[in-house]
Amino acid sequence: MPELVAPTVRLHAAWLDAHREWGPGLHEDGFGLRPSDEVDSPAGFAAWVARLVDQSNPTGPPDADRPRCTHRWIVEDDRVLGGIALRHAPDDSLLRVAGHVGYGVRPSARRRGLATWALGRILDEARGLGLDRVLIICVADNIASAKTIERCGGVLEGLRDTEPGATRRYWIST
């Protein structure tokens, strides 16, 4: 049975396994990974996890580079299957390109309904934070992601051309 867990150094090897499966240059949405993050060494991984945990604290001081964001990993039997992130109060520029929620499921764990399950759980957290609705954006041709969002109540606002390419914009009432 999968569960959503806060990032933890205990899952370093399992997270690296998922990261390798995605491969270089592929998008791993939901993990909050920055190009400058060094995650291979135990010390680098621990620093990254500490930043994610700090970012998740709704009462702590805000990160200068990113808004408050709840990070969760989709884990089953100590295997990291994916990640999901809930941005608490994104600024206007982040809303244009990323929205409130980002998620990703490793290729070998797809087509099991994990993204829909995780999105449903993170919407509960959004409600707990007082968010009445959340914006979720996906690449226009990512039909699987569009269906996930729609299964969770997403209403298409429209399509937009953005720097990374055409995107679909959905709103979900919590």
Side-chain angles (χ1 to χ4, degrees):
M1 181 88 165
E3 58 184 325
L4 286 185
V5 302
T8 175
V9 295
R10 182 182 68 77
L11 293 170
H12 185 198
W15 187 89
L16 285 175
D17 185 54
H19 182 62
R20 279 190 294 274
E21 184 178 321
W22 255 290
L26 294 178
H27 195 65
E28 296 172 83
D29 216 359
F31 281 124
L33 190 61
R34 297 176 181 170
S36 61
D37 289 322
E38 189 284 303
V39 294
D40 291 324
S41 73
F45 191 80
W48 174 62
V49 165
R51 179 176 57 79
L52 296 181
V53 170
D54 285 347
Q55 235 181 333
S56 295
N57 180 354
T59 61
D63 183 320
D65 298 330
R66 302 249 174 140
R68 288 272 147 241
C69 184
T70 299
H71 296 276
R72 297 289 181 258
W73 294 348
I74 305 166
V75 176
E76 186 174 53
D77 299 325
D78 283 336
R79 185 170 180 244
V80 176
L81 304 179
I84 190 162
L86 170 65
R87 297 168 196 95
H88 300 183
D91 62 26
D92 289 341
S93 63
L94 194 54
L95 269 179
R96 280 193 296 278
V97 297
H100 289 92
V101 178
Y103 57 86
V105 174
R106 69 190 287 173
S108 64
R110 292 179 184 158
R111 302 190 201 301
R112 292 181 44 196
L114 291 168
T116 301
W117 172 83
L119 181 54
R121 300 293 122 359
I122 211 74
L123 290 173
D124 291 340
E125 293 200 34
R127 190 176 308 107
L129 290 169
L131 297 173
D132 295 330
R133 65 186 196 142
V134 296
L135 175 66
I136 305 177
I137 298 171
C138 70
V139 175
D141 64 357
N142 187 342
I143 303 305
S145 191
K147 287 182 179 181
T148 293
I149 297 164
E150 290 167 0
R151 276 192 290 275
C152 288
V155 176
L156 182 65
E157 174 189 88
L159 297 173
R160 284 210 186 151
D161 287 324
T162 63
E163 189 175 315
T167 59
R168 294 173 186 254
R169 296 170 53 87
Y170 289 91
W171 287 95
I172 298 179
S173 296
T174 61

